Amino acid sequence: MRIHSILVSLTITILAMTPLAACNRAAEEDAIVYWRTLTGRAGEAQDELASRYNASGPTRPVRAQFQGGYGDLRTKLLTALAGGGGPDITQLGSFEILEFARAGALVDLQPFVDGPDGIDLADWPGTLADSGRVEGGLYWLPFNVSVPILYYNAEAFTEAGLDGPPETWDDFFEAARRLTVVENGRTMRYGLALWDMTWPIVSAIWSEGGMLTNGDYSAISLDHPAAIAVLTRFQELVKEGAAILPEQAAGGHRAWFTSGRAAMILDSPAPYADITRAARGFNVRTAQYPAGTAGRVYAPGGGGIAILASCPEHKRADAWRFVRYLLEAENLAWYATESGYAPFTASARAIANDSHPEMADINGALAHIQGDFSLNMSPALRDAFDRAFMRIMLEGADVGETLRTANAEAARRIARDGL
Amino acid sequence: MRSPSRDALVFLLFCAPNAALLLVFTHGPLVYNLVLSLTDRRLLGADSQWVGLSNYAMLLQDADFIRVVLNTIAYACAVVLIAQVCALAVAMLLNRPVWGRGLFRTLVFSPWVTTPAAAAIVWIVLLDPDAGPLATLYHALGVEGPRWLSNGLLALVALITLGAWKETAFAAIFYLAGLQRVPVELYESARLETSRHFPVFWHVTLPMLRPVTFFLVVTGLIASFKTFEAVDLMTKGGPVYPDSSLFVFHLYRTAFENYRIGEAAAQATLFLVAGILITTLQFVAAKRWGALEGE
């Protein structure tokens, strides 16, 4: 009898909960799902933007869901899309744009940009607005944009008799040598700690008039004379013991800088808060990149936003409203202040809180952005260039020969795979 | 008396759930993987062409793939060999009636229960050439320590060290159990012949441990071939890819970073074939040398 009563109660409870579960599922299906990356403030600020958007009473609320780093996000997206699922909107690194767009996994944003709820791209610097353009469609819009900047140890500069940050690459290489301290045959401080990512180096090559590829990969030139010249100069620093390329697994260039073992690094402004917090025994200063013979030219980094083809047709207009919300001047400006990324549109820059010291450097750099992610978008090109860079810096390989081999390998793979 | 057909029906009914699960989650994907390996399928997009065996042909000419296969063979052999030797030595020490034996056994086994990610981070810190404990030792000695993860060969050695450290813990427990099953009478008889330790070890202990050794070599090789986390966290296959890359990491890169799912499927098929071949060879060798339990 008692068992019978329990079974009846259980059945009634389950039956009573079924409509609730159904309602909950309906509410979830009604929402716009946004997959994001980035940790710390850069991630939390996105959640906060989603909350603010939801508080403004949209037709469909947005559910921001953290999916790990860029690599984790990519893997999860690939798995979800291959299985016929996926979110409605996603943050997406520049590496994935071409593959995802060509595979039909992204929605063309051009009709939304041009539509009644569109945005004015004339406000955007350089060719940044076109950086997500693939074969006539616009599949990605930059959101968390960064430009490489120079971080330096203010006390080390004073100690080395350097008045301020280097203005040209000649000054930069000279400063790295003067900042290096060797005692009893042991290097106590390197002038420069290099990142194992080639992104900061690309800006240096561009500023010397170099070009590594064109947009459709019909003219690849990893062995461009400017690339050879720039990498040779960095390699000379490593060979002389004035620069080091530390192991990334143990904290990499940032750990060497914050512990005072390296006086300069080339990095994104995004980790500015973390770097200043971790720095021990010195003041962190930032500066714009040095200028080359072609002036200052910046390769943008960071990520952007895309609407996925997995977003049902009837939800796309609402998905676009959230994308537009993220890109509104006041939201971009607020996000930049919170995260360290760039308030990259002119109107966002005008209202951005530039109380952070690095903001002035970012703002100054924005005018020189060349919105071209071609190198990032091709796995073949990126892989070949990264390997060449590591071989040159770690193994002291011949720069010209290594870049020529890398160029041939990239061309072979692009001919085979298309990207 | 029950009819044979009724018995067969009951047998099938009991087998059906497991058979269905195996079919859907193991054999089905294996066949699908084989089909994928014969196409130029990319991870995204439905369009793909039938390319026959060209993915396999391409892999056999791919310098990266060949390097990764050689790395994996070197890694697996080194890890298993080092782990067997160290584990047997540790097990023999722990088999003696020493004070605190239980605590030592727990300590020895702890690397095995440490998650691969945590173990990798511990070794990254240990090997840090400028701020780790080894670096402190080098500095005290006034020498520059090696930069383990900045050199292709040393990076592979670091991975082998981590793998052997974990595998030793696992193998030591099995060897310890194996040692405790060796009949004392055998040792007593052997001691009548000689008082030296090595002949007793060589002619009594080792032969009696053959089944355990066989089991550990098979499982150790399979586990080593499947290593992924350590590569991902410690070296990413570098410093210059694929200096220290192993098979599964390379497969992951091919599929999820280069999007070539057809080629990745061909790699997975070759991996499966190699696994079957190696295990079969091991069983043949074990049968010949009487290392299988009960022989």
Side-chain angles (χ1 to χ4, degrees):
Chain A
M1 183 65 194
R2 194 171 169 190
I3 292 173
H4 182 258
S5 306
I6 292 171
L7 282 174
V8 168
S9 307
L10 205 62
T11 311
I12 291 169
T13 311
I14 290 168
L15 286 174
M17 285 173 72
T18 307
L20 284 174
C23 284
N24 193 37
R25 194 164 64 236
E28 280 304 313
E29 281 170 5
D30 199 42
I32 300 291
V33 176
Y34 169 52
W35 280 10
R36 70 160 181 85
T37 176
L38 303 178
T39 53
R41 274 310 288 160
E44 292 160 8
Q46 289 184 63
D47 292 342
E48 209 165 316
L49 281 172
S51 299
R52 290 182 188 185
Y53 175 76
N54 291 340
S56 70
T59 321
R60 293 174 198 275
V62 168
R63 304 264 177 270
Q65 297 170 350
F66 176 61
Q67 301 295 333
Y70 279 111
D72 301 321
L73 174 63
R74 179 192 56 222
T75 306
K76 288 179 185 176
L77 279 171
L78 287 167
T79 313
L81 293 171
D88 301 302
I89 310 174
T90 187
Q91 195 173 13
L92 200 65
S94 54
F95 289 7
E96 289 82 30
I97 303 170
L98 188 57
E99 175 72 16
F100 278 54
R102 280 188 180 171
L106 306 180
V107 170
D108 185 1
L109 301 175
Q110 194 66 56
F112 295 107
V113 170
D114 297 336
D117 281 338
I119 48 178
D120 181 12
L121 297 179
D123 194 25
W124 293 32
T127 52
L128 202 59
D130 289 330
S131 53
R133 200 170 286 287
V134 177
E135 290 157 10
L138 183 65
Y139 295 96
W140 179 90
L141 287 169
F143 167 60
N144 52 309
V145 171
S146 61
V147 285
I149 58 171
L150 171 73
Y151 288 80
Y152 64 95
N153 177 328
E155 281 71 19
F157 264 59
T158 308
E159 191 186 300
L162 295 164
D163 297 333
E167 284 293 317
T168 66
W169 286 109
D170 287 340
D171 295 343
F172 171 82
F173 289 110
E174 180 53 29
R177 291 183 175 94
R178 285 173 61 178
L179 289 160
T180 302
V181 176
V182 180
E183 286 176 10
N184 301 322
R186 184 165 167 242
T187 306
M188 306 306 290
R189 186 179 67 213
Y190 287 88
L192 171 73
L194 286 161
W195 197 353
D196 70 353
M197 275 185 74
T198 49
W199 170 55
I201 302 295
V202 173
S203 292
I205 294 170
W206 285 1
S207 73
E208 294 290 3
M211 187 204 78
L212 300 171
T213 180
N214 61 351
D216 62 3
Y217 307 109
S218 57
I220 304 164
S221 48
L222 295 182
D223 55 349
H224 190 283
I228 295 175
V230 167
L231 288 179
T232 301
R233 298 188 80 180
F234 277 101
Q235 188 192 49
E236 282 168 2
L237 277 190
V238 174
K239 283 183 173 173
E240 289 168 25
I244 187 167
L245 200 164
E247 293 82 356
Q248 208 57 37
H253 64 303
R254 285 178 198 159
W256 280 64
F257 178 69
T258 55
S259 64
R261 291 172 286 162
M264 295 191 291
I265 53 170
L266 303 168
D267 205 325
S268 159
Y272 175 79
D274 292 335
I275 288 174
T276 45
R277 197 167 37 242
R280 292 281 171 268
F282 68 94
N283 289 298
V284 177
R285 296 277 184 271
T286 59
Q288 278 191 49
Y289 249 41
T293 50
R296 287 190 164 94
V297 189
Y298 290 93
I305 306 289
I307 297 178
L308 289 158
S310 53
C311 177
E313 289 276 357
H314 66 277
K315 287 170 77 178
R316 287 183 184 174
D318 291 308
W320 167 252
R321 278 186 202 105
F322 180 62
V323 173
R324 194 190 58 179
Y325 178 82
L326 290 176
L327 297 171
E328 280 172 6
E330 50 271 31
N331 292 330
L332 267 185
W334 179 81
Y335 185 71
T337 311
E338 293 295 310
S339 66
Y341 281 101
F344 59 88
T345 65
S347 46
R349 201 156 62 244
I351 54 174
N353 177 354
D354 58 0
S355 58
H356 295 293
E358 88 284 9
M359 272 301 167
D361 302 317
I362 298 171
N363 289 342
L366 287 172
H368 309 291
I369 277 188
Q370 188 172 307
D372 176 6
F373 289 102
S374 307
L375 181 69
N376 283 0
M377 289 198 272
S378 159
L381 207 54
R382 196 173 69 228
D383 193 35
F385 191 54
D386 286 351
R387 287 193 207 195
F389 174 73
M390 296 298 278
R391 215 176 279 290
I392 288 164
M393 296 306 156
L394 289 176
E395 296 175 4
D398 180 82
V399 178
E401 185 57 37
T402 307
L403 287 178
R404 274 188 287 278
T405 307
N407 201 60
E409 174 60 16
R412 186 187 67 78
R413 276 183 57 185
I414 287 173
R416 186 189 70 184
D417 299 335
L419 72 162
Chain B
M1 182 159 172
R2 291 160 62 175
S3 70
S5 60
R6 186 185 153 86
D7 282 351
L9 186 67
V10 171
F11 170 78
L12 284 176
L13 274 175
F14 275 111
C15 286
N18 265 343
L21 286 174
L22 274 174
L23 200 68
V24 172
F25 293 109
T26 306
H27 300 130
L30 275 179
V31 173
Y32 184 54
N33 181 75
L34 187 66
V35 173
L36 277 181
S37 75
L38 303 172
T39 69
D40 65 354
R41 176 80 184 264
R42 297 184 73 80
L43 193 51
L44 289 176
D47 298 338
S48 61
Q49 301 287 322
W50 187 262
V51 295
L53 295 173
S54 68
N55 279 331
Y56 294 92
M58 194 171 63
L59 283 176
L60 297 177
Q61 294 165 8
D62 181 353
D64 282 0
F65 181 72
I66 292 166
R67 173 70 190 266
V68 165
V69 168
L70 294 176
N71 280 353
T72 310
I73 293 170
Y75 171 85
C77 292
V79 164
V80 170
L81 186 69
I82 295 168
Q84 301 313 302
V85 173
C86 295
L88 185 54
V90 168
M92 290 182 75
L93 283 174
L94 291 177
N95 199 33
R96 289 164 180 269
V98 290
W99 181 85
R101 192 165 60 166
L103 176 69
F104 286 123
R105 283 179 184 174
T106 309
L107 287 175
V108 164
F109 195 59
S110 59
W112 180 252
V113 293
T114 308
T115 60
I121 289 165
V122 166
W123 279 88
I124 287 167
V125 174
L126 270 175
L127 299 174
D128 186 333
D130 209 68
L134 281 178
T136 312
L137 180 68
Y138 294 135
H139 294 169
L141 296 171
V143 294
E144 285 284 335
R147 294 182 60 202
W148 289 88
L149 306 183
S150 292
N151 175 291
L153 182 63
L154 290 181
L156 191 59
V157 171
L159 288 176
I160 289 170
T161 311
L162 167 59
W165 177 67
K166 276 187 80 71
E167 187 65 22
T168 297
F170 178 71
I173 297 301
F174 279 85
Y175 273 129
L176 190 57
L179 284 171
Q180 288 168 354
R181 286 180 59 194
V182 180
V184 182
E185 298 79 26
L186 286 180
Y187 286 117
E188 288 169 352
S189 306
R191 296 245 159 72
L192 293 175
E193 303 285 331
T194 177
S195 60
R196 284 157 54 218
H197 290 292
F198 186 74
V200 176
F201 169 76
W202 191 255
H203 294 292
V204 177
T205 310
L206 266 189
M208 292 304 289
L209 289 176
R210 264 187 211 155
V212 177
T213 308
F214 171 69
F215 167 77
L216 289 172
V217 168
V218 171
T219 54
L221 279 176
I222 291 170
S224 300
F225 280 132
K226 292 197 303 189
T227 301
F228 175 83
E229 296 93 336
V231 185
D232 189 34
L233 286 163
M234 281 179 81
T235 69
K236 299 271 181 218
V240 182
Y241 196 87
D243 280 353
S244 67
S245 186
L246 300 180
F247 203 102
V248 179
F249 185 78
H250 187 69
L251 195 154
Y252 170 82
R253 249 177 77 105
T254 307
F256 289 97
E257 289 186 15
N258 296 322
Y259 314 113
R260 298 200 303 271
I261 202 74
E263 193 184 322
Q267 290 177 17
T269 306
L270 290 178
F271 184 64
L272 176 72
V273 171
I276 292 170
L277 275 178
I278 291 167
T279 311
T280 308
L281 277 176
Q282 284 176 324
F283 268 96
V284 169
K287 203 171 168 67
R288 187 169 170 180
W289 293 323
L292 291 178
E293 196 87 67
E295 292 200 10

